[in-house]
Amino acid sequence: MNYPKSHFSSLVKHLENRAQLTEEQMDAILDQIEVVHLKKREVFLKAGEVCKYEGYINRGCIRVFFTDHKAHEHVVQLAFEDWWIADLMSFFTGLPANYSIEALEETELFLLERSKADHLFKSVPPFETIFRILLQSAYVSLQKRVIANMSQSAEERYLELTRKYPQMELRVAQHHIASYLGITPEALSRIRKNIIEKMKKQ
Amino acid sequence: MNYPKSHFSSLVKHLENRAQLTEEQMDAILDQIEVVHLKKREVFLKAGEVCKYEGYINRGCIRVFFTDHKAHEHVVQLAFEDWWIADLMSFFTGLPANYSIEALEETELFLLERSKADHLFKSVPPFETIFRILLQSAYVSLQKRVIANMSQSAEERYLELTRKYPQMELRVAQHHIASYLGITPEALSRIRKNIIEKMKKQ
């Protein structure tokens, strides 16, 4: 580590919120972390490569997307500070990633390599607890997304997104938000106009 | 336990394949298991209730489905022997389930209650490893499903489903398979005819 421990204070809090760790255990985790800086639009992972790292966003904003065989991009995740990003399928299985990962702003990631995670599961048992809890949350988010796509209109999903993540509108381009919602930028623009009209009438 | 240990041999193998357990640890896990029998079409979980159990299918076949606000049912999972079923979101968070779970055949489930799982995470550390590995697989399956829906035609998804799970066609009604694929039974029937035509020409 070339950084003072204080540089990792967000991550330390993030871990402490999920399980009890001794100072030695926390140090053992931080010892395995690599730091990487991405420029705006820099690609961190390209679909087809193996996703070797889970990345914790210390600063910045990330887009995870899928490119279909017609070369259309579908945004599957928009992530900010204190979130983990990865192609978890690839990270767990070692198979080529389906997703690409790109920085939407200058971004600092704390990286944990797969083999180092496996090592920590054995040497620091509470780390396995933390990882299980993070996995539970990731699963719950994905399940909610699948259900929202089956049951909510694009307008409902847009309202929920902006209510839950107010920073979304300020930090992410409209066409990425539209892609995340599975609609065209024009449809998103109509939805926004609609909402403004409704608010005026109230 | 009113059953001899041999009754749980599939589950024992399932657990042993994922982590090393002493005999005492295995017994501690089996001690927490409840056995339930479902009749064909019996509902195990109703959307809106809290999902208190993870269920391991020892025998039978299960349908997990979501009912949208227009009362349309969407099959999200079809599961057979040696699979776990639950509304994991509800199981982890304690919030009402989005999914309903129903037996498609006479089914025997081995149940693990949430509080008992939490107890085992602490008292039997390899059980937490097993659970993490199962969660990883569940996440990977869900991610693959999301991507398949974005990138593959219904025919491609149908072919993959029947190749991966040949028993699907024999044990599950066509309208449930259609619902799992997100298409109408009529569309599935056309797809099957199409495939047969192609095979004849080869």
Side-chain angles (χ1 to χ4, degrees):
Chain A
M1 255 195 313
N2 296 313
Y3 293 85
K5 199 171 163 182
S6 61
H7 190 73
F8 300 92
S9 59
S10 301
L11 177 59
V12 166
K13 210 192 288 170
H14 180 92
L15 298 172
E16 282 174 346
N17 283 342
R18 284 159 181 85
Q20 271 202 316
L21 292 154
T22 65
E23 206 177 330
E24 290 72 36
Q25 288 177 324
M26 184 63 84
D27 289 344
I29 296 171
L30 296 182
D31 269 348
Q32 305 297 331
I33 296 290
E34 294 167 59
V35 179
V36 72
H37 293 93
L38 304 173
K39 294 195 197 94
K40 189 173 172 168
R41 296 190 176 252
E42 192 171 336
V43 172
F44 170 64
L45 174 74
K46 222 170 145 172
E49 296 171 357
V50 173
C51 179
K52 288 184 202 152
Y53 300 96
E54 268 237 87
Y56 172 88
I57 306 175
N58 190 45
R59 190 167 43 79
C61 175
I62 288 282
R63 172 171 81 109
V64 182
F65 63 100
F66 171 74
T67 309
D68 67 24
H69 58 283
K70 288 178 187 154
H72 293 153
E73 292 181 0
H74 305 263
V75 174
V76 290
Q77 198 189 353
L78 294 163
F80 303 95
E81 284 81 6
D82 205 35
W83 290 34
W84 292 89
I85 48 115
D87 182 308
L88 282 181
M89 182 281 292
S90 175
F91 183 76
F92 295 139
T93 63
L95 294 171
N98 294 122
Y99 296 154
S100 300
I101 298 178
E102 176 197 69
L104 295 179
E105 299 173 356
E106 285 207 13
T107 295
E108 183 180 54
L109 293 179
F110 296 156
L111 301 185
L112 181 62
E113 214 189 324
R114 173 62 204 263
S115 60
K116 291 178 180 173
D118 280 334
H119 165 74
L120 287 174
F121 293 148
K122 285 184 193 124
S123 58
V124 183
F127 184 74
E128 182 149 56
T129 305
I130 293 168
F131 205 87
R132 173 180 57 79
I133 292 169
L134 290 170
L135 253 172
Q136 289 178 187
S137 306
Y139 188 94
V140 168
S141 298
L142 195 55
Q143 178 173 324
K144 280 190 182 156
R145 178 117 202 261
V146 169
I147 288 172
N149 285 343
M150 287 196 288
S151 64
Q152 292 184 313
S153 69
E155 180 168 329
E156 285 167 333
R157 286 181 283 130
Y158 172 71
L159 283 171
E160 195 170 313
L161 193 71
T162 50
R163 195 177 54 231
K164 261 175 89 177
Y165 310 109
Q167 53 185 334
M168 193 72 85
E169 293 272 65
L170 300 167
R171 295 173 69 180
V172 180
Q174 289 296 312
H175 67 281
H176 289 323
I177 296 180
S179 173
Y180 180 80
L181 295 170
I183 58 178
T184 62
E186 295 72 32
L188 177 57
S189 169
R190 277 195 301 277
I191 285 171
R192 299 183 66 194
K193 266 187 208 150
N194 236 327
I195 292 169
I196 293 166
E197 285 302 316
K198 278 187 201 164
M199 287 167 74
K200 275 188 194 160
K201 282 181 195 159
Q202 279 176 348
Chain B
M1 261 201 302
N2 296 314
Y3 293 85
K5 199 172 163 182
S6 61
H7 190 73
F8 300 92
S9 59
S10 301
L11 177 59
V12 166
K13 210 193 288 171
H14 180 92
L15 298 172
E16 281 174 346
N17 282 342
R18 284 159 181 85
Q20 272 202 315
L21 292 155
T22 65
E23 206 178 329
E24 289 72 37
Q25 288 176 324
M26 185 63 82
D27 289 344
I29 296 171
L30 295 183
D31 270 347
Q32 305 298 329
I33 296 290
E34 295 166 59
V35 179
V36 72
H37 293 94
L38 304 174
K39 293 195 197 94
K40 190 171 172 171
R41 295 188 178 253
E42 191 171 337
V43 172
F44 170 65
L45 174 74
K46 220 171 148 172
E49 297 171 356
V50 173
C51 179
K52 287 185 200 150
Y53 300 95
E54 269 237 89
Y56 172 88
I57 305 175
N58 190 45
R59 190 168 42 81
C61 175
I62 288 282
R63 172 172 81 110
V64 182
F65 63 99
F66 170 74
T67 309
D68 68 23
H69 59 284
K70 287 176 188 155
H72 292 153
E73 291 181 0
H74 305 263
V75 174
V76 291
Q77 199 188 351
L78 294 163
F80 304 95
E81 284 82 7
D82 205 34
W83 290 35
W84 292 89
I85 47 116
D87 182 310
L88 283 180
M89 181 282 291
S90 175
F91 183 77
F92 295 140
T93 62
L95 294 170
N98 295 121
Y99 296 155
S100 299
I101 298 179
E102 177 197 67
L104 296 180
E105 299 173 356
E106 284 207 13
T107 296
E108 182 180 53
L109 294 179
F110 295 157
L111 301 184
L112 180 62
E113 212 189 324
R114 173 62 203 264
S115 60
K116 291 178 180 172
D118 280 335
H119 166 72
L120 288 173
F121 292 149
K122 285 183 194 123
S123 57
V124 183
F127 183 74
E128 182 149 58
T129 305
I130 293 167
F131 204 86
R132 173 179 59 76
I133 292 169
L134 290 170
L135 253 172
Q136 288 179 188
S137 306
Y139 188 93
V140 168
S141 297
L142 195 56
Q143 178 173 323
K144 280 190 183 156
R145 176 118 203 258
V146 169
I147 288 171
N149 284 344
M150 286 195 288
S151 64
Q152 291 184 314
S153 68
E155 180 168 331
E156 286 167 332
R157 285 181 284 129
Y158 171 71
L159 283 170
E160 196 170 312
L161 193 71
T162 49
R163 197 178 52 233
K164 263 175 90 177
Y165 311 109
Q167 54 186 333
M168 193 72 85
E169 292 271 68
L170 300 168
R171 296 174 68 180
V172 180
Q174 290 296 313
H175 67 280
H176 289 324
I177 297 179
S179 173
Y180 180 81
L181 295 169
I183 58 178
T184 61
E186 294 72 32
L188 178 56
S189 168
R190 278 194 299 277
I191 285 171
R192 298 182 67 194
K193 266 189 208 151
N194 235 328
I195 293 169
I196 292 166
E197 285 302 315
K198 277 186 202 165
M199 286 167 75
K200 278 188 194 159
K201 282 181 194 158
Q202 277 175 351

